[in-house]
Amino acid sequence: MIPVTVTFMLVDWIAKGLTDGTFERVGGVIRNVKTKQIVTWLREQGANNSTGKQLEELGRSLQATQGILQVTSAVSILNLGVSVIGFVVIAQRLKELEQRLQQAQKVLNNINNKIDLSFYANFRAAIELATNAFTMTKIENRRSSALQAINRFLEAEHIYTEYTDIEIEQKSQIADEYLLTLSLAYLAEARCYLELEEHDTALRRFQEGSRVIRSRIQKYVKLLLTFNPAIYLQPQFRGQIDLRRLTRIYQWLDPTLDENAVFDMQRMNLFMLAQNPNKWIESIPAAIWDSKVDWVGKAIWDDPKPQIYARLPKTLEVVESMIETNRRFESYQTEVQAISQLGISFHDWLKLTPSTEIKPDGAELMYIIPSKPLELQPSI
């Protein structure tokens, strides 16, 4: 068994590695940039997203302006670790998504675009079934109920994959909600296998989910970047959006790109945008602005450009949030791999906590540090 240190404080050598660029945070792990070896797992204390603020503060203290931590204002619907996103949290996140779609439905009903919310009830029932399964004392009853829940989660995966594909194809404003729901379906299924200590099966389901989810998030990100991503570098966004921020998005799509490469990609785009700004407006995807929804009640001679441009900083936050969600989901794989390599059970992994250290006030992150960097199959 490989020993681990569990602490509420970021140790100096990891802080130094983050500062000088030796290490990077990707989802819920800190890893060596070159070797991809994992040096730390991050775990929230509490099952909410308040750690986003602490991550930002951590990033600022470690010169995050250089992009070292890749921490932005984007908030992911997923937690940093699979260990702190159990069925109760999944149910909470699912409820949030359902409420967001209900709000969207009120608007979309005006253009006869119906949202099918019926399967959310089935998904919620599956989560309740899984929750009850793991409170049962008899092993055979627990396993039987868990497998029933897994079958329902598999059904949810198929349904929300189809919904996601349809909405992306239609360049819809709700495609991201279905993508996030799909992520929760895969997560709930894998979590069942982890509760049953079926680590290999859980890992395979995470790997399958990563392939399905990443390919669709890539399509969605490219959709929101539009045919001319230079639109995000307009002078009016000075102080909000810079080339470094855009580069981090492109590096998720293609890690070989640097700022110079991204600028070269946008050089002609900037020129075309200056020559004919209306061309971009005419081709804007409905995912950003839909005249049938967003221009209702406006005079036909009014200029929509100010409203559209005002929406772009928020759109870029959506892009960053989806990328962060994808990174967190993919980092769950390394967590499952680590459980096996460290030689402990999932339930013992859940119980890890500093043995003598008192939790400082306001500390929302815990660091799990293996005695030596772990070489795990790269998935992120």
Side-chain angles (χ1 to χ4, degrees):
M1 176 174 174
I2 300 173
V4 296
T5 299
V6 186
T7 176
F8 292 117
M9 304 298 293
L10 184 65
V11 297
D12 290 342
W13 63 273
I14 294 177
K16 179 179 181 299
L18 288 167
T19 304
D20 65 24
T22 303
F23 300 147
E24 63 181 349
R25 180 188 73 86
V26 185
V29 303
I30 295 175
R31 70 181 185 185
N32 186 295
V33 172
K34 291 183 178 178
T35 67
K36 308 305 179 188
Q37 290 177 320
I38 307 297
V39 298
T40 308
W41 277 267
L42 304 175
R43 182 182 293 181
E44 292 112 323
Q45 295 301 287
N48 55 49
N49 277 333
S50 63
T51 50
K53 183 177 179 181
Q54 186 170 348
L55 280 175
E56 286 189 67
E57 292 171 352
L58 175 64
R60 283 194 292 273
S61 69
L62 295 171
Q63 302 175 22
T65 52
Q66 298 179 18
I68 290 168
L69 281 184
Q70 297 185 353
V71 174
T72 71
S73 59
V75 176
S76 169
I77 199 168
L78 300 185
N79 288 68
L80 288 171
V82 69
S83 49
V84 285
I85 189 162
F87 297 116
V88 173
V89 180
I90 293 172
Q92 177 188 336
R93 301 289 188 264
L94 190 66
K95 183 178 180 181
E96 293 168 6
L97 290 171
E98 190 175 9
Q99 288 173 341
R100 278 152 55 170
L101 282 171
Q102 286 170 343
Q103 289 298 315
Q105 187 175 43
K106 295 177 182 178
V107 177
L108 294 176
N109 279 345
N110 295 329
I111 58 170
N112 295 319
N113 187 350
K114 305 294 184 184
I115 301 175
D116 185 0
L117 293 170
S118 61
F119 201 78
Y120 276 87
N122 292 349
F123 196 169
R124 287 197 307 271
I127 294 172
E128 290 173 9
L129 182 60
T131 303
N132 293 334
F134 296 110
T135 60
M136 295 178 177
T137 54
K138 291 186 177 180
I139 294 176
E140 60 271 20
N141 292 343
R142 184 186 314 156
R143 188 173 185 85
S144 175
S145 292
L147 291 175
Q148 289 179 47
I150 285 169
N151 285 334
R152 292 198 184 189
F153 292 139
L154 285 167
E155 185 181 5
E157 289 161 18
H158 290 299
I159 287 174
Y160 288 110
T161 298
E162 182 180 354
Y163 283 177
T164 298
D165 289 342
I166 290 171
E167 297 302 326
I168 291 177
E169 181 66 27
Q170 294 178 350
K171 303 180 180 180
S172 158
Q173 292 185 5
I174 60 172
D176 56 332
E177 314 292 10
Y178 285 133
L179 263 168
L180 294 171
T181 305
L182 178 60
S183 301
L184 292 178
Y186 273 105
L187 175 57
E189 184 206 353
R191 178 75 189 218
C192 280
Y193 285 118
L194 287 172
E195 293 285 352
L196 294 171
E197 298 291 356
E198 299 282 356
H199 301 169
D200 290 344
T201 305
L203 179 59
R204 284 198 301 271
R205 298 311 297 155
F206 273 131
Q207 289 169 338
E208 165 66 17
S210 292
R211 286 191 294 269
V212 171
I213 293 164
R214 186 183 179 95
S215 65
R216 284 155 179 83
I217 290 182
Q218 283 177 332
K219 289 181 182 179
Y220 189 62
V221 166
K222 290 176 181 177
L223 174 67
L224 294 185
L225 286 176
T226 78
F227 86 95
N228 191 339
I231 195 73
Y232 290 101
L233 298 175
Q234 291 182 103
Q236 70 190 77
F237 299 135
R238 183 186 299 273
Q240 285 182 282
I241 303 171
D242 57 20
L243 181 61
R244 184 179 296 115
R245 190 172 167 189
L246 193 62
T247 297
R248 285 199 292 268
I249 293 170
Y250 271 99
Q251 285 175 332
W252 178 76
L253 293 167
D254 181 355
T256 66
L257 298 176
D258 58 16
E259 283 188 27
N260 283 334
V262 173
F263 177 73
D264 276 341
M265 292 166 64
Q266 304 310 321
R267 194 188 299 268
M268 184 56 68
N269 284 339
L270 287 164
F271 180 73
M272 290 191 300
L273 196 60
Q275 272 196 324
N276 186 2
N278 288 328
K279 183 178 180 182
W280 181 83
I281 294 291
E282 292 165 2
S283 64
I284 187 172
I288 296 177
W289 191 83
D290 186 344
S291 60
K292 297 191 295 295
V293 175
D294 301 310
W295 206 236
V296 174
K298 301 289 185 179
I300 59 173
W301 55 80
D302 285 346
D303 184 4
K305 286 198 289 293
Q307 282 197 23
I308 294 172
Y309 292 160
R311 193 168 289 188
L312 291 179
K314 183 66 176 177
T315 300
L316 205 65
E317 284 186 17
V318 171
V319 170
E320 291 168 331
S321 177
M322 295 305 296
I323 291 173
E324 176 67 14
T325 291
N326 180 253
R327 284 183 167 136
R328 291 186 183 194
F329 187 91
E330 292 187 345
S331 72
Y332 294 166
Q333 296 176 53
T334 67
E335 200 171 345
V336 177
Q337 289 175 306
I339 292 169
S340 298
Q341 195 161 328
L342 293 171
I344 62 177
S345 70
F346 178 66
H347 292 91
D348 286 338
W349 175 260
L350 295 181
K351 296 173 187 173
L352 288 177
T353 189
S355 55
T356 57
E357 193 179 334
I358 299 174
K359 180 182 176 183
D361 290 341
E364 297 294 341
L365 287 175
M366 189 173 78
Y367 304 89
I368 302 172
I369 307 168
S371 58
K372 62 180 181 179
L374 292 189
E375 188 82 53
L376 301 174
Q377 180 182 346
S379 59
I380 52 179

